[in-house]
Amino acid sequence: MYAQMVKTAGSGVKSPEEMTPEERDFQDRIDRGEKIEPKDWMPDDYRKTLIRQIGQHAHSEIVGQLPEGNWITRAPTLERKAILLAKVQDEAGHGLYLYCAAETLGVTRDDLTEDLLAGRMKYSSIFNYPTLNWADMGAVGWLVDGAAIINQVALQRTSYGPYSRAMVRICKEESFHARQGFHIMMKMAKGTPEQKRMAQDALNRLWFPALMMFGPSDKDSVHTAQSMAWRIKMDTNDELRQKFVDQTVPQIEYLGLELPDPGITLNKDTGHYSYADPDWSEFFDVIKGNGPCNVDRLAARNKAWDDGKWVRDGLMAHAKKKAAAKTAAE
Amino acid sequence: MAQDQALFEYLLRLGDNTLVLGHRVSEWCGHSPVLEEDIALANTALDLIGQTQLWLGLAGEVEGKGRDADTLAMLRDIWDFRNLLLVELPNGDFGQTLMRQFLFDAWQSINLGRLMNSTDPRIAEIAAKASKEAAYHVERSGDTVVGLGDGTDESHARMQKALDYLWPYVGEMFLSDDVDATLVKAGIAPDPASLRDDYDALIGRVMDSATLTIPDSRFTHKGGKTGKTHTEHLGHVLTSMQWLQRAYPGASW
């Protein structure tokens, strides 16, 4: 889940009687499972909320390059380096699809980028945690991409056509990433005592931040109802989190690692694992900008953007000269 | 010089060039001026690392001492590296990175074209695969050098500065030694000096479109490909690249 706590625009779900005829038609289309396309009429609040959600999702892909990029130059083998490079390249590509999807709603990529860099838009809290040992490259693929897939598979059915199609494509690549991540974890968990220690350390550090990726508990989530009615949110935060825990606990056991939360137990009646909540005060601190890496991540993105200005300006100036020369020749 | 010894050295040169340059390019990951460049740089680094696996893999086979591509990449010290000094130079700004890339890609694409006719089929096969990637790389880095050279005053000045800084490292590509002489005789590799005319023609065309001035001097720094010396920068590349393998010897990753 790369979009968290997206503020839903508007004043909440309207009853059919409160809706205008246009709004009623729009809601009927969504209820019938039709896709909304860029040129279709849509309520302003739907548009605004989607821009926030897709934009945040795109920003997460972009900032998400940093924690993994942190290990590319230290990858232990040529193959691992190549796989990691390919993965980070995919993420930049996901950012590109998502910005394109957002642009169909009438914003530009540059507007969204400036909102990110000024701190007006957010990215997933998970990327504000550091990657400290090589097993983090496994744990990020396995847990972070694993959590993202659970949300994104659901979003393939979202009501907005361009977003839904971007999700279909992204999910294919994310599944590959999650498998690669798990493969690193297997190597580490079955490796030397030091490697096993790295694997356990990575799991312990990233477990609760991964649970936070799904956003606050349903009882504290104020944005859910309208977004679910619009089918831009498909399941509640707690439903998705439960799915993630149920999927991941047997994998931890398979790896032979200790559970990062000793309270995890299987409830035989429901078939679901019970688990401890993350420390929500930590989550809200990270969201407010006080996570371990918030300042550094944003500084790195700002530096890349500021240092790159002359490059973007230079290439644009050249393109204009070329276009002018072509026009003159015609 | 024995042919196998010469071949081993030559393959290290090819593999170390792509290894060290791939490493340098990968340092950009997540920090480039625009999203498309993040993708392109990662893609370039990925191709270079892929070529490294092939060249160093073959080097290990030719050497016959049981060293594979990873052992050669991760467990040699600086004096055993055989890359051109050019590729170990720091990234600098984006202009310096792309200028270094173009100066290398131009040579690489010409050299690989010749190696496709090598009498050693293993080399011809790798060259055929790598030359497709190199053709794309040189087109992209060349276009970017033109775009930035002929862009704004600032981008022009930065590109000229990059060219002036990097030019004294270009001549090393065309120097010959016993390794080259042995392989030229066997028809395995081209005489490095014989690539210079094509190289100058290509560089001349691109710099002309880029409105950049190639320095007059033909002075060249040398010693990287023979292993006689390296810049101070290479040691820092190896420090990060080899750290895990050095700190946890014998582990499987």
Coordinates of all heavy atoms in Angstrom, one line a residue, chain B residues 64-114:
Chain B
G64 N 41.5 -20.5 -15.8 CA 41.5 -21.9 -15.4 C 41.9 -22.2 -13.9 O 42.4 -23.3 -13.6
K65 N 41.8 -21.2 -13.1 CA 42.1 -21.4 -11.7 C 40.9 -21.5 -10.8 O 41.0 -21.3 -9.5 CB 43.1 -20.3 -11.2 CG 44.5 -20.4 -11.8 CD 45.4 -19.3 -11.3 CE 46.7 -19.4 -12.0 NZ 47.5 -18.2 -11.7
G66 N 39.8 -21.6 -11.4 CA 38.5 -21.8 -10.6 C 37.9 -20.4 -10.1 O 37.0 -20.4 -9.3
R67 N 38.4 -19.3 -10.6 CA 37.8 -18.0 -10.2 C 36.7 -17.7 -11.2 O 36.8 -17.8 -12.4 CB 38.9 -16.9 -10.3 CG 39.9 -17.1 -9.2 CD 40.6 -15.8 -8.9 NE 41.6 -15.4 -10.0 CZ 42.4 -14.3 -9.9 NH1 42.3 -13.5 -8.8 NH2 43.2 -14.0 -10.9
D68 N 35.5 -17.4 -10.6 CA 34.4 -17.0 -11.5 C 34.3 -15.5 -11.5 O 35.1 -14.8 -10.9 CB 33.1 -17.6 -11.0 CG 32.7 -17.2 -9.6 OD1 33.3 -16.3 -9.0 OD2 31.8 -17.8 -9.0
A69 N 33.3 -15.0 -12.2 CA 33.1 -13.5 -12.4 C 33.0 -12.8 -11.1 O 33.6 -11.7 -10.9 CB 31.9 -13.2 -13.3
D70 N 32.3 -13.4 -10.1 CA 32.1 -12.7 -8.8 C 33.4 -12.7 -8.0 O 33.8 -11.7 -7.4 CB 31.1 -13.4 -8.0 CG 29.7 -13.0 -8.4 OD1 29.5 -11.9 -8.8 OD2 28.8 -13.9 -8.4
T71 N 34.2 -13.8 -8.1 CA 35.5 -13.8 -7.4 C 36.4 -12.7 -8.0 O 37.1 -12.0 -7.2 CB 36.1 -15.2 -7.6 OG1 35.2 -16.2 -7.3 CG2 37.3 -15.3 -6.6
L72 N 36.4 -12.6 -9.3 CA 37.3 -11.6 -9.9 C 36.8 -10.2 -9.6 O 37.6 -9.3 -9.3 CB 37.3 -11.8 -11.4 CG 38.1 -13.1 -11.9 CD1 37.8 -13.3 -13.4 CD2 39.6 -12.9 -11.7
A73 N 35.5 -10.0 -9.5 CA 35.0 -8.6 -9.3 C 35.2 -8.3 -7.8 O 35.6 -7.1 -7.5 CB 33.6 -8.5 -9.6
M74 N 35.0 -9.2 -6.9 CA 34.9 -8.9 -5.5 C 36.2 -9.1 -4.7 O 36.3 -8.6 -3.6 CB 33.7 -9.7 -4.9 CG 32.4 -9.4 -5.5 SD 31.9 -7.7 -5.3 CE 30.3 -7.7 -6.3
L75 N 37.1 -9.9 -5.2 CA 38.2 -10.3 -4.4 C 39.6 -10.0 -5.0 O 40.6 -10.5 -4.6 CB 38.1 -11.8 -4.0 CG 36.9 -12.2 -3.2 CD1 36.8 -13.7 -3.0 CD2 36.9 -11.5 -1.9
R76 N 39.6 -9.1 -6.0 CA 40.9 -8.6 -6.4 C 41.2 -7.2 -5.8 O 40.2 -6.5 -5.6 CB 41.0 -8.5 -7.9 CG 41.2 -9.8 -8.7 CD 41.2 -9.5 -10.2 NE 39.9 -9.0 -10.6 CZ 39.7 -8.2 -11.6 NH1 40.7 -7.8 -12.4 NH2 38.5 -7.8 -11.9
D77 N 42.4 -6.9 -5.5 CA 42.7 -5.6 -5.0 C 43.0 -4.7 -6.2 O 43.1 -5.1 -7.4 CB 43.8 -5.6 -4.0 CG 43.8 -4.4 -3.0 OD1 43.1 -3.4 -3.4 OD2 44.4 -4.5 -2.0
I78 N 43.3 -3.4 -5.9 CA 43.4 -2.4 -7.0 C 44.4 -2.7 -8.0 O 44.2 -2.5 -9.2 CB 43.6 -1.0 -6.3 CG1 43.5 0.1 -7.3 CG2 44.8 -1.0 -5.4 CD1 43.4 1.5 -6.6
W79 N 45.6 -3.3 -7.6 CA 46.7 -3.5 -8.6 C 46.3 -4.5 -9.6 O 47.0 -4.7 -10.6 CB 48.0 -3.8 -7.9 CG 47.9 -4.9 -6.8 CD1 47.4 -6.2 -7.0 CD2 48.2 -4.8 -5.4 NE1 47.4 -6.9 -5.8 CE2 47.9 -6.1 -4.8 CE3 48.7 -3.8 -4.6 CZ2 48.1 -6.3 -3.5 CZ3 48.9 -4.1 -3.3 CH2 48.6 -5.3 -2.7
D80 N 45.3 -5.3 -9.4 CA 44.9 -6.3 -10.3 C 43.8 -5.9 -11.3 O 43.3 -6.6 -12.1 CB 44.5 -7.6 -9.6 CG 45.7 -8.4 -9.1 OD1 46.8 -8.3 -9.7 OD2 45.5 -9.1 -8.1
F81 N 43.3 -4.6 -11.1 CA 42.3 -4.1 -12.0 C 42.9 -3.5 -13.2 O 44.0 -3.0 -13.2 CB 41.4 -3.0 -11.2 CG 40.3 -3.7 -10.5 CD1 40.4 -4.4 -9.4 CD2 39.0 -3.6 -11.0 CE1 39.4 -5.1 -8.7 CE2 37.9 -4.2 -10.4 CZ 38.1 -4.9 -9.3
R82 N 42.2 -3.7 -14.3 CA 42.7 -3.4 -15.7 C 41.8 -2.5 -16.5 O 41.9 -2.4 -17.7 CB 42.9 -4.7 -16.5 CG 43.9 -5.7 -15.9 CD 45.3 -5.2 -16.0 NE 46.3 -6.1 -15.5 CZ 46.8 -6.1 -14.2 NH1 46.4 -5.1 -13.4 NH2 47.7 -7.0 -13.8
N83 N 41.0 -1.7 -15.8 CA 40.1 -0.8 -16.5 C 40.8 0.5 -16.9 O 41.8 0.9 -16.3 CB 38.9 -0.4 -15.6 CG 39.4 0.1 -14.3 OD1 39.8 -0.6 -13.4 ND2 39.3 1.5 -14.1
L84 N 40.3 1.1 -17.9 CA 40.7 2.5 -18.3 C 40.5 3.4 -17.1 O 39.5 3.4 -16.4 CB 39.9 3.0 -19.5 CG 40.0 2.2 -20.7 CD1 38.9 2.6 -21.7 CD2 41.4 2.4 -21.4
L85 N 41.5 4.4 -16.9 CA 41.3 5.4 -15.9 C 40.0 6.2 -16.0 O 39.4 6.5 -15.0 CB 42.5 6.3 -15.9 CG 43.9 5.7 -15.6 CD1 45.0 6.7 -15.7 CD2 44.0 5.0 -14.3
L86 N 39.6 6.4 -17.3 CA 38.4 7.2 -17.5 C 37.2 6.7 -16.7 O 36.5 7.5 -16.2 CB 38.1 7.1 -19.0 CG 36.8 7.8 -19.5 CD1 37.0 9.3 -19.5 CD2 36.4 7.4 -20.8
V87 N 37.0 5.4 -16.7 CA 35.8 4.9 -16.1 C 35.7 5.0 -14.6 O 34.7 4.9 -14.0 CB 35.4 3.5 -16.6 CG1 35.2 3.5 -18.1 CG2 36.5 2.5 -16.2
E88 N 36.9 5.1 -14.0 CA 36.9 5.2 -12.5 C 36.8 6.6 -12.0 O 36.6 6.8 -10.8 CB 38.1 4.5 -11.9 CG 39.5 5.2 -12.2 CD 40.7 4.3 -12.0 OE1 40.7 3.1 -12.4 OE2 41.6 4.7 -11.3
L89 N 36.8 7.6 -12.9 CA 36.7 9.0 -12.4 C 35.3 9.2 -11.8 O 34.4 8.6 -12.2 CB 37.0 9.9 -13.6 CG 38.4 9.8 -14.2 CD1 38.5 10.7 -15.5 CD2 39.4 10.2 -13.2
P90 N 35.3 10.1 -10.9 CA 34.0 10.4 -10.2 C 32.9 10.9 -11.1 O 33.2 11.4 -12.2 CB 34.3 11.4 -9.2 CG 35.8 11.5 -9.1 CD 36.3 11.0 -10.4
N91 N 31.7 10.7 -10.7 CA 30.5 11.1 -11.5 C 30.5 12.6 -11.7 O 30.0 13.0 -12.8 CB 29.2 10.7 -10.8 CG 29.0 9.2 -10.9 OD1 29.5 8.5 -11.8 ND2 28.1 8.7 -10.1
G92 N 30.9 13.4 -10.8 CA 30.8 14.8 -10.9 C 29.3 15.2 -11.1 O 28.5 14.6 -10.5
D93 N 29.1 16.2 -11.9 CA 27.6 16.6 -12.1 C 27.1 15.7 -13.2 O 27.9 14.8 -13.8 CB 27.5 18.1 -12.4 CG 28.1 18.5 -13.7 OD1 28.6 17.6 -14.5 OD2 28.1 19.7 -14.0
F94 N 25.8 15.8 -13.5 CA 25.2 14.9 -14.5 C 25.9 15.1 -15.9 O 26.1 14.1 -16.6 CB 23.7 15.3 -14.7 CG 23.0 14.5 -15.6 CD1 22.5 13.2 -15.2 CD2 22.7 14.9 -16.9 CE1 21.8 12.4 -16.1 CE2 22.0 14.1 -17.8 CZ 21.5 12.9 -17.4
G95 N 26.4 16.3 -16.2 CA 27.1 16.5 -17.4 C 28.4 15.7 -17.5 O 28.7 15.1 -18.6
Q96 N 29.1 15.7 -16.4 CA 30.4 15.0 -16.4 C 30.1 13.5 -16.6 O 30.8 12.7 -17.3 CB 31.2 15.2 -15.1 CG 32.5 14.6 -15.1 CD 33.3 15.1 -13.9 OE1 33.4 16.3 -13.6 NE2 33.9 14.1 -13.2
T97 N 29.1 13.0 -15.9 CA 28.7 11.6 -16.0 C 28.3 11.2 -17.5 O 28.8 10.2 -18.0 CB 27.5 11.3 -15.1 OG1 27.9 11.4 -13.8 CG2 27.0 9.9 -15.3
L98 N 27.5 12.1 -18.1 CA 27.1 11.7 -19.5 C 28.2 11.9 -20.5 O 28.3 11.2 -21.5 CB 25.9 12.6 -19.8 CG 24.6 11.9 -19.7 CD1 24.4 10.8 -20.8 CD2 24.4 11.2 -18.3
M99 N 29.1 12.9 -20.2 CA 30.3 13.1 -21.1 C 31.2 11.9 -21.0 O 31.7 11.3 -22.0 CB 31.0 14.4 -20.7 CG 32.2 14.7 -21.7 SD 31.7 14.9 -23.4 CE 31.1 16.6 -23.3
R100 N 31.5 11.4 -19.8 CA 32.3 10.2 -19.6 C 31.7 9.0 -20.3 O 32.3 8.2 -20.9 CB 32.4 10.0 -18.1 CG 33.3 8.8 -17.7 CD 33.2 8.5 -16.2 NE 31.9 8.1 -15.8 CZ 31.4 8.1 -14.6 NH1 32.1 8.5 -13.6 NH2 30.1 7.8 -14.4
Q101 N 30.3 8.9 -20.1 CA 29.6 7.8 -20.7 C 29.8 7.9 -22.3 O 30.0 6.8 -22.9 CB 28.1 7.9 -20.4 CG 27.3 6.7 -20.7 CD 27.7 5.5 -19.9 OE1 28.0 5.6 -18.8 NE2 27.7 4.3 -20.6
F102 N 29.6 9.0 -22.8 CA 29.7 9.1 -24.3 C 31.1 8.8 -24.8 O 31.3 8.1 -25.8 CB 29.3 10.5 -24.8 CG 29.5 10.7 -26.3 CD1 28.8 9.9 -27.2 CD2 30.4 11.6 -26.7 CE1 29.0 10.0 -28.5 CE2 30.7 11.7 -28.1 CZ 30.0 10.9 -29.0
L103 N 32.1 9.4 -24.1 CA 33.5 9.1 -24.5 C 33.8 7.6 -24.5 O 34.5 7.1 -25.3 CB 34.5 9.9 -23.7 CG 34.4 11.5 -23.8 CD1 35.3 12.2 -22.8 CD2 34.8 11.9 -25.2
F104 N 33.2 7.0 -23.5 CA 33.4 5.5 -23.4 C 32.6 4.8 -24.4 O 33.1 3.9 -25.1 CB 33.1 5.0 -22.0 CG 33.2 3.5 -21.8 CD1 34.4 2.9 -21.7 CD2 32.0 2.7 -21.9 CE1 34.5 1.5 -21.6 CE2 32.1 1.3 -21.8 CZ 33.4 0.7 -21.7
D105 N 31.3 5.1 -24.5 CA 30.4 4.4 -25.4 C 30.9 4.5 -26.8 O 30.7 3.5 -27.6 CB 29.0 5.0 -25.3 CG 28.2 4.8 -24.0 OD1 28.6 3.8 -23.3 OD2 27.3 5.5 -23.8
A106 N 31.4 5.6 -27.2 CA 31.9 5.8 -28.6 C 33.0 4.7 -28.9 O 33.0 4.0 -29.9 CB 32.4 7.2 -28.8
W107 N 33.9 4.6 -27.9 CA 35.0 3.6 -28.1 C 34.5 2.2 -28.0 O 34.8 1.4 -28.8 CB 36.1 3.9 -27.0 CG 37.1 2.8 -27.0 CD1 38.2 2.7 -27.8 CD2 37.2 1.7 -26.1 NE1 38.9 1.6 -27.5 CE2 38.3 1.0 -26.4 CE3 36.4 1.2 -25.1 CZ2 38.7 -0.2 -25.8 CZ3 36.7 0.1 -24.4 CH2 37.9 -0.6 -24.8
Q108 N 33.6 2.0 -27.0 CA 33.1 0.7 -26.8 C 32.3 0.1 -28.0 O 32.5 -1.0 -28.4 CB 32.2 0.8 -25.5 CG 31.2 -0.4 -25.3 CD 31.8 -1.5 -24.4 OE1 33.0 -1.7 -24.4 NE2 31.0 -2.1 -23.6
S109 N 31.5 1.0 -28.6 CA 30.7 0.6 -29.7 C 31.6 0.2 -30.9 O 31.4 -0.8 -31.6 CB 29.7 1.6 -30.1 OG 30.3 2.8 -30.5
I110 N 32.7 1.0 -31.1 CA 33.6 0.7 -32.2 C 34.4 -0.6 -31.9 O 34.5 -1.5 -32.8 CB 34.5 1.9 -32.5 CG1 33.7 3.1 -32.9 CG2 35.6 1.5 -33.5 CD1 34.5 4.4 -32.9
N111 N 34.9 -0.7 -30.7 CA 35.7 -1.9 -30.4 C 34.9 -3.2 -30.4 O 35.3 -4.2 -30.9 CB 36.3 -1.7 -28.9 CG 37.4 -2.7 -28.6 OD1 38.2 -2.9 -29.4 ND2 37.3 -3.3 -27.4
L112 N 33.6 -3.1 -30.0 CA 32.8 -4.3 -30.0 C 32.5 -4.7 -31.4 O 32.4 -5.9 -31.8 CB 31.5 -4.1 -29.2 CG 31.6 -4.0 -27.7 CD1 30.3 -3.6 -27.1 CD2 32.1 -5.3 -27.1
G113 N 32.3 -3.7 -32.3 CA 32.1 -4.0 -33.7 C 33.2 -4.8 -34.3 O 33.0 -5.8 -35.0
R114 N 34.5 -4.4 -33.9 CA 35.6 -5.2 -34.4 C 35.7 -6.6 -33.7 O 36.1 -7.6 -34.4 CB 36.9 -4.4 -34.1 CG 37.0 -3.1 -34.7 CD 37.3 -3.1 -36.2 NE 37.5 -1.7 -36.7 CZ 38.7 -1.2 -36.7 NH1 39.8 -1.8 -36.3 NH2 38.8 0.1 -37.1

